[in-house]
Amino acid sequence: MKRKNYSKELKSKVALAAIKGNQTVNEIASEFGIHASLVNRWKKEAIEALPLVFGNSKAKQTKEAEIERDRLYQ
């Protein structure tokens, strides 16, 4: 049996609904036709990824460039 792949749009809708907390996990799961464990997993992944959304990507790119430059000079 092949695993089912879900779109990132569906995952984000489910995670957002779970974060809002207006519905129970089981209500969200039945609304979107998925298992309740997926709701919890996607909610957790979304919450963990939020700091990256608001992070300073310019500083991260600069630091990565410095690390790469140092590695190349070795």
Side-chain angles (χ1 to χ4, degrees):
M1 186 171 179
K2 187 175 179 182
R3 294 182 78 149
K4 193 166 186 180
N5 292 323
Y6 297 99
S7 69
K8 59 185 174 185
E9 289 82 14
L10 175 67
K11 290 179 181 181
S12 62
K13 287 179 185 178
V14 171
L16 186 59
I19 291 170
K20 285 182 180 178
N22 295 335
Q23 298 172 296
T24 66
V25 171
N26 288 332
E27 290 173 338
I28 296 168
S30 65
E31 178 182 336
F32 289 98
I34 58 174
H35 196 272
S37 65
L38 287 177
V39 176
N40 290 322
R41 183 183 313 152
W42 294 344
K43 177 183 175 183
K44 181 182 175 190
E45 289 176 7
I47 290 172
E48 289 173 353
L50 278 175
L52 299 175
V53 173
F54 295 109
N56 188 350
S57 63
K58 181 76 172 171
K60 183 179 178 184
Q61 289 175 350
T62 304
K63 183 172 181 153
E64 289 175 354
E66 289 175 9
I67 291 170
E68 180 69 16
R69 185 189 68 225
D70 292 343
R71 187 184 67 78
L72 290 172
Y73 278 120
Q74 288 180 353

